[in-house]
Amino acid sequence: MKMILKYLEELKKECVLAPLFKMLEALFELFVPLVVASIIDRGIGQQDTAYIVKMCLMLLGLAIIGLVCSITAQYFSAKAAVGCATGIRHALFKHIQSLSFTEMDDIGTSTLMTRMTSDINQIQNGVNLVLRLFLRSPFIVFGAMIMAFTIDVKAALIFVAAIPVLAVIVFGIMIGTRPLYKKVQAGLDTILGITRENLTGVRVIRAFNKQDDEFARFKNKNEELNHLQKFVGKISGLMNPLTYTVVNVSIIALIWVGAIRVNQGGLTQGQVVALYNYMSQILVELIKLANLIITITKALACAGRIESVFEVTSGMADGDVKNVDAKEETPSVEFKNVSLTYSGSGAPSVEGINFKAMKGQTIGVIGGTGSGKSSLVNLIPRLYDATQGEVIVDGVNVKDYNIETLRNKVGIVMQKAVLFKGTIRENMWMGKKGATDEQIDEALEISQSKEFVDSKQGRLDYVIEQGGKNLSGGQRQRLTIARAIVRKPDVLILDDSASALDFATDAALRKAIREMNNSPTVFIVSQRAASLMYADLIIVLDDGQVAGMGTHDELLANCEVYKEIYESQFKKADSEGGVA
């Protein structure tokens, strides 16, 4: 609740004007039964046509004023609700961007997506309805009761008895359903996660003919959510019939008491109709209030879920080192007894890593699947923090760097080639904001992308679809490499980012990177021995530990793991035509 109020602070004007105009509308609405009563008692009773016309015009005027007030209130409440949702969404997105990969892994992508979309929409609807109805409905309920007392005290006592009973029903159901709505939203997270897995992995699912299994898994989770929603819906659904019952019993009592009072001469027929109208107004407003309570319950449950994300803080504290003048003899990257254990993991993914990489050197990292290759290089730009030991860049521990400064020094190309919807130029600007066309062309040439970019209509203005769907796998990989190169980083990390390239293009890419003017320290993660043969230092990983370290020739002579990888690949290549 505090979170919502925080983002409504800048919208005070809208938060005041919306309920104010709704209260004005409600005030005019409370006069309607009195006008109707006067029409019945005086106009119809005395057959005064002119008075009836006059009162009908007054009713029309009250309706027009109420309509104007209602539209104005709707405008301000919608403005406040959308403004609040926008503020929360921006703040949440910014907060998520500040989290390290560790926290992102713990929370989960599907959960974050649900909270950025569905949960915030629920809060928006809740704020909108609260500003319009939260004051109006109680005002009408108690206003109708007070107006009933001005007509007849004995008949109005029925209102006094009915309203507390209705309040118990409404608030009792609200308190009971709030935790259940939290479970519903959590179930929605699960469904979204399964859907996302199926959509991203649709090719694999079809390749292994697992459609039926995935459908069954989705169906089971969907049915669980369905049953939970039905259960909550049944409890919430009790509100309308219970309030209807109480109000209609009250109306019956009111008409019975009113009839007796009319016979005794204590009430007129118009006054009984006015009392009936006031009870009907209470009924309508309580139904609105009941639906409002359900929406508020959902909104508060969603607000709690969003607040839990805001409460997650990055375990990666920002350092204060912004400028480093590294000496020529200082290693560009150094690992000192480095280990990394992922959150929730029982064993370290990499352990006891020690090496030095000088400026301009090429470091190869090779090993089997799951050996810790990506984990090792992810420690350099501080995507994860080492759980033991020190990672040092230009003589400074990465934990002491200002994170923005560190990541400006390091260019990393992830295993999965990710491109964003937009032009090629805009995608290059992700690497270096405002890069000139000449700088982009240079990066394209080094990454072996220039040839296919030149063939595209518009060249740098060619629009890439989301995820690079209109490009081949090799083209996507080369553009992501160009995006990292365009910033001219001191350390360039290629994390198995050339797997879709043929041997000739891969060799040309490595040659072009070696000839870059700024002589970056290059880390190449690959499962191809051919890609690493000419590296200055090759690190061989096996189950998170260093199995060997040295040049290609040294490892062939001394490292069984490297020798096995090399021979398996080159024998296969020889049988298919050979690799020279």
Side-chain angles (χ1 to χ4, degrees), residues 269-321:
Q269 291 174 330
Q271 287 174 325
V272 173
V273 171
L275 288 168
Y276 174 81
N277 282 339
Y278 281 128
M279 186 60 79
S280 297
Q281 281 184 349
I282 289 174
L283 173 62
V284 170
E285 291 306 319
L286 283 170
I287 291 168
K288 288 181 183 177
L289 189 61
N291 292 325
L292 171 64
I293 293 298
I294 292 170
T295 305
I296 290 174
T297 304
K298 288 180 181 177
L300 289 176
C302 293
R305 284 159 49 81
I306 292 170
E307 218 162 355
S308 68
V309 177
F310 279 119
E311 287 169 1
V312 176
T313 55
S314 177
M316 199 172 280
D318 203 357
D320 52 11
V321 175

Side-chain angles (χ1 to χ4, degrees), residues 159-187:
F159 289 74
V160 176
I163 289 173
V165 175
L166 292 167
V168 169
I169 292 169
V170 169
F171 288 101
I173 289 174
M174 181 190 79
I175 292 166
T177 53
R178 184 178 174 184
L180 294 174
Y181 279 117
K182 283 187 179 180
K183 289 184 179 179
V184 168
Q185 290 300 115

Side-chain angles (χ1 to χ4, degrees), residues 94-247:
K94 185 177 180 181
H95 180 72
I96 290 169
Q97 292 296 319
S98 73
L99 299 177
S100 70
F101 280 20
T102 301
E103 285 81 36
M104 297 277 280
D105 293 342
D106 288 343
I107 298 169
T109 306
S110 58
T111 300
L112 292 174
M113 287 173 66
T114 307
R115 296 182 194 192
M116 281 285 291
T117 52
S118 173
D119 286 359
I120 292 178
N121 286 342
Q122 291 282 9
I123 290 174
Q124 181 177 317
N125 292 336
V127 170
N128 193 343
L129 286 176
V130 164
L131 291 176
R132 288 193 294 125
L133 298 177
F134 196 67
L135 290 179
R136 181 190 190 279
S137 292
F139 180 78
I140 288 278
V141 170
F142 290 105
M145 185 175 72
I146 292 166
M147 295 299 279
F149 271 101
T150 64
I151 295 171
D152 185 69
V153 174
K154 288 184 179 178
L157 291 174
I158 296 169
F159 289 74
V160 176
I163 289 173
V165 175
L166 292 167
V168 169
I169 292 169
V170 169
F171 288 101
I173 289 174
M174 181 190 79
I175 292 166
T177 53
R178 184 178 174 184
L180 294 174
Y181 279 117
K182 283 187 179 180
K183 289 184 179 179
V184 168
Q185 290 300 115
L188 190 61
D189 285 348
T190 306
I191 293 292
L192 184 62
I194 293 171
T195 306
R196 186 169 172 274
E197 283 177 10
N198 277 277
L199 291 175
T200 53
V202 63
R203 295 171 188 267
V204 177
I205 291 166
R206 290 180 180 175
F208 289 95
N209 196 28
K210 290 291 182 181
Q211 296 96 312
D212 291 341
D213 293 344
E214 289 302 314
F215 179 76
R217 186 162 73 105
F218 178 82
K219 186 179 178 183
N220 290 337
K221 292 296 180 183
N222 209 26
E223 283 178 355
E224 285 178 18
L225 179 61
N226 187 24
H227 290 320
L228 184 58
Q229 284 180 314
K230 281 181 180 178
F231 179 65
V232 182
K234 285 174 184 176
I235 297 173
S236 298
L238 287 172
M239 198 174 292
N240 281 357
L242 288 176
T243 50
Y244 265 114
T245 302
V246 173
V247 171

Side-chain angles (χ1 to χ4, degrees), residues 355-368:
F355 70 87
K356 292 180 182 179
M358 306 304 291
K359 183 173 175 61
Q361 282 191 329
T362 299
I363 310 299
V365 183
I366 195 169

Side-chain angles (χ1 to χ4, degrees), residues 510-521:
R510 286 184 277 110
K511 182 175 183 292
I513 290 173
R514 281 198 303 273
E515 294 171 355
M516 284 175 66
N517 295 331
N518 63 318
S519 300
T521 304

